[in-house]
């Protein structure tokens, strides 16, 4: 399988994992906060950080699907840092 096809596959894994993760908060008391977080996180992007994490996992002999929680947490932290960086000017 080529790197390009693995990248597409990884991106699908990441998007599905993130959507499933935030689905658990749709009925939470703070659902408005979670909706805002979900909007920022699922707004698109190349997902470069989780893709690199999953590919590195594969290269060292691991199962990329088992690394999804870690890869997605990196993406969540990255999204947070982008939002936090913009807050002072808002």
């Amino acid at each position: 399988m080529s790197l390009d096809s693995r990248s597409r596959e990884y991106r699908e894994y990441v998007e599905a994992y993130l959507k499933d993760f935030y689905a658990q908060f749709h009925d939470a008391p703070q659902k408005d906060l979670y909706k805002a977080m979900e909007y920022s996180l699922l707004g698109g992007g190349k997902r470069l950080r989780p893709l690199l994490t999953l590919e590195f996992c594969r290269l060292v002999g691991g199962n990329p699907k088992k690394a999804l929680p870690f890869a997605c947490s990196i993406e969540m932290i990255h999204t947070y840092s982008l939002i936090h960086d913009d807050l002072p000017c808002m």
Side-chain angles (χ1 to χ4, degrees):
M1 185 183 302
S2 72
L3 180 60
D4 187 47
S5 60
R6 279 195 311 274
S7 293
R8 275 186 256 124
E9 183 179 350
Y10 292 160
R11 195 170 292 115
E12 290 172 10
Y13 291 162
V14 169
E15 293 297 327
Y17 185 91
L18 292 172
K19 285 178 187 174
D20 288 346
F21 181 80
Y22 273 92
Q24 68 181 317
F25 301 113
H26 287 176
D27 294 327
Q30 312 86 353
K31 66 181 173 189
D32 291 337
L33 174 62
Y34 287 111
K35 281 183 187 177
M37 292 165 59
E38 186 178 27
Y39 174 81
S40 297
L41 185 63
L42 299 179
K46 295 181 283 276
R47 306 291 191 215
L48 184 61
R49 288 153 194 83
L51 296 180
L52 288 172
T53 304
L54 297 176
E55 182 63 8
F56 182 76
C57 178
R58 186 194 68 81
L59 287 171
V60 297
N63 180 348
K65 285 188 177 182
K66 289 186 176 182
L68 268 173
F70 182 74
C72 290
S73 68
I74 292 172
E75 188 68 9
M76 289 179 199
I77 292 168
H78 172 66
T79 301
Y80 160 79
S81 72
L82 293 175
I83 295 167
H84 186 268
D85 188 48
D86 289 341
L87 286 178
C89 69
M90 294 181 171

